[in-house]
Amino acid sequence: MTKPRIGFAGLSHLGICSGVAAAARGFDVLGFHPDPALIEHLDRGDLPIVEPDLDRLFVEHRSRLSFAADPAALRVCDIVYLSYDVPTDDKGESDLAPVRALIAEIGPHLAPHALLVILCQVPPGFTRSLPFDADRLYYQVETLIFGRAVERALKPERIIVGAPRSGEPLPAALQQFLAAFECPILPMRYESAELCKISINLCLVASVSVANTLADLSDRLGADWAEIAPALRLDQRIGRFAYLKPGLGISGGNLERDLVSVCRMADRLGGEAGVVRGFIADSAYRKNWLLRAVHEALPQRIAARLGVLGLAYKEDTASTKNSPSLALIGALGEIAVAAYDPVVRLTDRPSAGFVQVVDLDEACRDADAVILATPWAEFRGLDPARLKALMRGRTIIDPYAMLDGGAFEAAGFFYRTLGRPSAVRTEHP
Amino acid sequence: MIEHHPGAKPPERVVILGAKGFVAGASAARLACAGVPVLALGRADLDLVAPGADKALASQLRPADALLFVSAKAPCKTPDLLMENLAMAHAVAAALAVSPVAHLVYISSDAVYGEGETLVRETSPTMPTSLHGLMHVAREGLLRFGTKLPLAILRPSLLYGAADPHNGYGPNQFRRLAAEGKPITLFGEGEEQRDHVLIDDVAEIVYRVLVQRSTGVLNIATGRSLSFRAVAELARGVSEIVGTPRRNPISHRHFDITACLQAFPDFTYRAIEAGLPDRSGG
């Protein structure tokens, strides 16, 4: 049986990573996107996104990858994934118009036998509502994680497929393609699969919200969340991969979208979603932890100079969607901020006192406080001696515990992190 | 929760309703210090519950004024007082309908929040558990829906300062008792935690809101709550602190002041350790 040829329509983050993963699994891949400029970039190997291992895999499997800005090129594909990341606004609401437009654009060009698989982030009920032959229409849960997108696409834990009906085998071509990923395949009806994706994300949010709440209390009580979390991981009901690392709320857009979707569904269907609204409120509170920490550490902050390390919402990505770093900087007004990020380059200044520098040391130079706002690996190399030589002040705000807090405190720094108390400061404004 | 008016300048004049009060007096002093003209109207100048109060107030207002509405018959503990306070707000709204101003600032209270709200922020539901809180909620609504003017609602927590005319349970009373060498008596062991704000900081926030013609809701609280016993310890001098049998369950109130930090990045509340010793002796 010949291998099916796979199309990816919509070459945003999801489409590019999924397409490269499919090529790496040995399939010929055609990527379609209506923007000729993007296709030109991709043809040159100039990738518009940052993900670990993506550049290497792209080069390695380049011979199986082709790109087109003409939807007619999709006619050669046996399976076409709709892989455009659904944009969200600042309230987490999805804009599905681009997805519908893309379906309308490619639909007439697909081969009569071709399967259309919705891979993008859509609400329950969306797939069945599409004006497309249901026997050729499937939905597949994407589990993209920014910063681990290639790894997740290449080696999924399981593949969840939404089908028009329960209990029927998947089409042979789809079965063959998915089998190449060597993981369990879970077919279910469209609505179950669509809600399954949201269910996964909400369980993650629940876990991280609990961790944030208890890490905060650890700080206030004099406990250390880093000592507690390993005990939880050994509980089989919680698990060793549970999201227990405290952070600065929910960012990136995808989890926020699902939280909003559940509230909308509950509102429409008469369900109780108070706990989900609680997650949303909790996330908003955590997001401003940096601002509160700066306020507490530097009461006279108007004269302060802050070094902010990291602008992305998390490491290994250029995305700044709902980034806590930008939430902080945006609230600092004219306070001087020198920010460094390994990949993010801002075109607009988020505050009057903001400058972006291209060197980590430059961000720290003469700073009263250094804030490690994104856990990029390269920040781990900072040690007290280096920062003492660079900084004017002695305050380190390190929510993700990238640094050895004890070493910094021993060196005379005020060190603030999530989940454990700082050495007491007795001064008052 | 509060937005500044881009390019706003200090108001041409601020009309203050409630000139003799604690907040009004401190706000007037802060504005005068900045050279902002103030017309302070006390009850002797304008009785807001008197017939024709709306017309009398309207005749005093100019379009470029900012109106700082502080006046209230407080604490509002009876239904009659509630209705009088609402009549005052009704007169103000009626005056503004005839003589609108550029900016309206209403001094409300954190009593608008329910007692069950232990981490209060501006988005917390307003579910008052007292007539005083109900009065402020109703007045806020009356001004919000009864006028179409740019409106800022400020909700202070517990205030302290030397000029406080009240002698309620808290820093002012403790300091005065300590100054007289009398014992400080606590409810229970003084376990309840509250957020105490120095009056100077309230005046500073009011001033900034007026200058930036801000609109929306903002709590005025330091973000740091202390038990009454801790406050008594700060104020005690050589006085004894005496606990009493507890009659009511312990309740706490804390504030999330993120909105204030975002609104005024360079502003810092004074900690009670710094604000109490020289300021509230009375």
Side-chain angles (χ1 to χ4, degrees):
Chain A
M1 189 174 177
T2 56
K3 282 184 176 179
R5 186 161 188 182
I6 315 297
F8 286 87
L11 299 177
S12 55
H13 210 108
L14 178 63
I16 292 172
C17 293
S18 304
V20 170
R25 285 289 182 181
F27 294 87
D28 285 338
V29 169
L30 174 78
F32 160 74
H33 197 89
D35 176 8
L38 174 62
I39 296 303
E40 212 174 285
H41 278 283
L42 290 168
D43 265 334
R44 285 202 308 265
D46 179 11
L47 301 182
I49 59 169
V50 176
E51 280 292 343
D53 238 12
L54 180 63
D55 290 353
R56 181 184 66 79
L57 284 174
F58 185 90
V59 171
E60 253 179 56
H61 302 284
R62 182 69 183 87
S63 61
R64 284 198 282 273
L65 287 160
S66 56
F67 302 98
D70 180 355
L74 289 167
R75 181 161 287 274
V76 300
C77 297
D78 304 294
I79 303 170
V80 174
Y81 277 89
L82 197 81
S83 56
Y84 184 72
D85 287 291
V86 176
T88 55
D89 64 16
D90 57 2
K91 292 187 175 64
E93 301 273 7
S94 294
D95 178 5
L96 292 165
V99 175
R100 292 186 192 280
L102 198 54
I103 293 170
E105 183 174 4
I106 66 170
H109 298 285
L110 302 190
H113 73 281
L115 305 173
L116 176 64
V117 184
I118 309 297
L119 188 62
C120 37
Q121 307 88 356
V122 296
F126 179 87
T127 307
R128 200 174 294 280
S129 75
L130 290 175
F132 196 89
D133 176 8
D135 288 332
R136 294 192 293 126
L137 179 63
Y138 290 82
Y139 165 80
Q140 185 174 318
V141 171
E142 60 84 13
T143 54
L144 183 145
I145 300 175
F146 284 111
R148 290 178 58 200
V150 172
E151 173 203 339
R152 301 275 299 175
L154 203 54
K155 298 175 185 171
E157 296 148 306
R158 74 295 192 225
I159 294 172
I160 302 153
V161 181
R165 292 167 294 277
S166 300
E168 293 181 5
L170 295 176
L174 187 56
Q175 189 74 46
Q176 186 186 1
F177 173 59
L178 297 180
F181 291 87
E182 301 171 295
C183 67
I185 299 167
L186 304 172
M188 55 188 80
R189 72 188 64 189
Y190 295 143
E191 291 80 3
S192 298
E194 289 163 335
L195 191 57
C196 183
K197 175 195 159 34
I198 290 176
S199 307
I200 293 166
N201 282 345
L202 258 70
C203 284
L204 300 178
V205 170
S207 188
V208 80
S209 299
V210 167
N212 282 336
T213 299
L214 293 168
D216 182 27
L217 286 179
S218 297
D219 175 350
R220 293 168 196 269
L221 274 170
D224 187 341
W225 180 249
E227 295 173 340
I228 297 168
L232 301 186
R233 292 187 195 285
L234 289 173
D235 189 313
Q236 288 185 5
R237 296 164 300 176
I238 299 170
R240 62 194 177 112
F241 298 116
Y243 268 33
L244 295 177
K245 201 168 167 49
L248 302 176
I250 310 299
S251 302
N254 285 334
L255 298 178
E256 296 95 308
R257 177 210 327 270
D258 288 345
L259 292 169
V260 170
S261 294
V262 169
C263 291
R264 292 282 174 274
M265 278 190 287
D267 291 347
R268 185 165 49 85
L269 302 170
E272 167 59 53
V275 67
V276 180
R277 295 189 210 284
F279 294 151
I280 294 170
D282 185 75
S283 173
Y285 177 70
R286 306 295 165 202
K287 191 141 298 167
N288 288 304
W289 182 88
L290 288 175
L291 179 61
R292 291 189 293 273
V294 167
H295 166 72
E296 287 162 16
L298 299 171
Q300 306 303 330
R301 57 198 174 281
I302 186 62
R305 184 180 188 282
L306 307 180
V308 173
L309 305 183
L311 295 166
Y313 89 88
K314 60 184 274 189
E315 73 277 25
D316 297 328
T317 178
S319 171
T320 58
K321 179 92 176 180
N322 296 338
S323 154
S325 178
L326 293 188
L328 167 70
I329 295 167
L332 290 176
E334 295 179 356
I335 295 169
V337 174
Y340 164 73
D341 190 283
V343 299
V344 175
R345 299 288 175 268
L346 297 182
T347 50
D348 296 326
R349 292 172 72 195
S351 72
F354 174 87
V355 292
Q356 184 163 2
V357 297
V358 293
D359 176 67
L360 191 156
D361 283 5
E362 192 56 33
C364 301
R365 198 178 310 284
D366 297 327
D368 294 288
V370 165
I371 300 147
L372 287 83
T374 310
W376 285 101
E378 71 172 89
F379 301 160
R380 286 190 193 281
L382 289 169
D383 60 52
R386 183 172 166 194
L387 284 180
K388 251 187 176 172
L390 287 167
M391 291 174 64
R392 181 168 75 182
R394 293 287 177 269
T395 294
I396 304 292
I397 297 175
D398 177 19
Y400 304 104
M402 299 289 288
L403 308 179
D404 179 348
F408 275 85
E409 284 176 339
F413 282 84
F414 174 71
Y415 178 82
R416 187 92 168 86
T417 189
L418 288 168
R420 78 169 176 86
S422 305
V424 176
R425 241 189 204 181
T426 53
E427 66 186 74
H428 294 288
Chain B
M1 290 311 299
I2 199 160
E3 288 186 10
H4 304 315
H5 188 278
K9 294 176 184 165
E12 288 188 11
R13 185 178 71 156
V14 177
V15 176
I16 303 180
L17 298 176
K20 298 282 190 280
F22 190 32
V23 173
S27 301
R30 177 65 185 89
L31 289 161
C33 183
V36 178
V38 169
L39 173 63
L41 300 174
R43 193 183 308 174
D45 311 300
L46 177 67
D47 184 353
L48 285 171
V49 293
D54 54 337
K55 292 185 178 63
L57 175 58
S59 70
Q60 301 267 14
L61 298 175
R62 303 175 196 151
D65 281 342
L67 180 64
L68 176 60
F69 182 12
V70 196
S71 174
K73 296 197 172 185
C76 176
K77 288 187 172 174
T78 66
D80 286 348
L81 273 175
L82 172 66
M83 298 314 290
E84 279 192 45
N85 275 298
L86 293 184
M88 294 165 73
H90 183 253
V92 172
L96 290 168
V98 177
S99 295
V101 294
H103 188 205
L104 173 61
V105 178
Y106 177 61
I107 304 298
S108 181
S109 163
D110 76 329
V112 300
Y113 302 113
E115 278 182 12
E117 292 295 319
T118 52
L119 181 61
V120 170
R121 53 179 68 98
E122 288 75 2
T123 51
S124 300
T126 53
M127 297 179 69
T129 48
S130 66
L131 282 174
H132 188 71
L134 178 63
M135 178 268 285
H136 278 298
V137 169
R139 283 173 141 208
E140 287 184 6
L142 209 156
L143 296 174
R144 183 179 287 144
F145 305 119
T147 76
K148 301 293 180 196
L149 301 176
L151 171 66
I153 293 170
L154 305 181
R155 296 171 176 162
S157 178
L158 302 178
L159 311 181
Y160 69 94
D164 187 358
H166 305 105
N167 198 33
Y169 179 66
N172 295 316
Q173 185 194 78
F174 297 168
R175 185 69 184 164
R176 285 167 189 156
L177 288 169
E180 294 168 15
K182 293 178 180 172
I184 298 171
T185 304
L186 299 175
F187 297 151
E189 291 302 321
E191 297 95 333
E192 287 93 344
Q193 296 180 38
R194 294 289 183 277
D195 194 315
H196 301 279
V197 190
L198 182 63
I199 188 66
D200 300 20
D201 287 341
V202 178
E204 179 63 24
I205 294 284
V206 168
Y207 168 72
R208 287 169 177 245
V209 163
L210 284 164
V211 166
Q212 304 206 47
R213 214 191 296 175
S214 314
T215 54
V217 176
L218 189 70
N219 294 326
I220 303 183
T222 68
R224 177 168 168 259
S225 292
L226 269 71
S227 69
F228 282 102
R229 175 169 285 279
V231 174
E233 293 286 353
L234 289 171
R236 69 185 294 181
V238 295
S239 287
E240 188 186 358
I241 298 173
V242 182
T244 56
R246 172 159 292 284
R247 290 181 184 169
N248 299 307
I250 296 170
S251 68
H252 303 295
R253 174 159 287 182
H254 301 268
F255 283 84
D256 170 14
I257 63 163
T258 304
C260 186
L261 300 179
Q262 290 168 329
F264 303 111
D266 60 328
F267 174 74
T268 301
Y269 283 104
R270 254 158 292 191
I272 195 165
E273 289 85 344
L276 184 62
D278 332 308
R279 299 244 174 204
S280 65

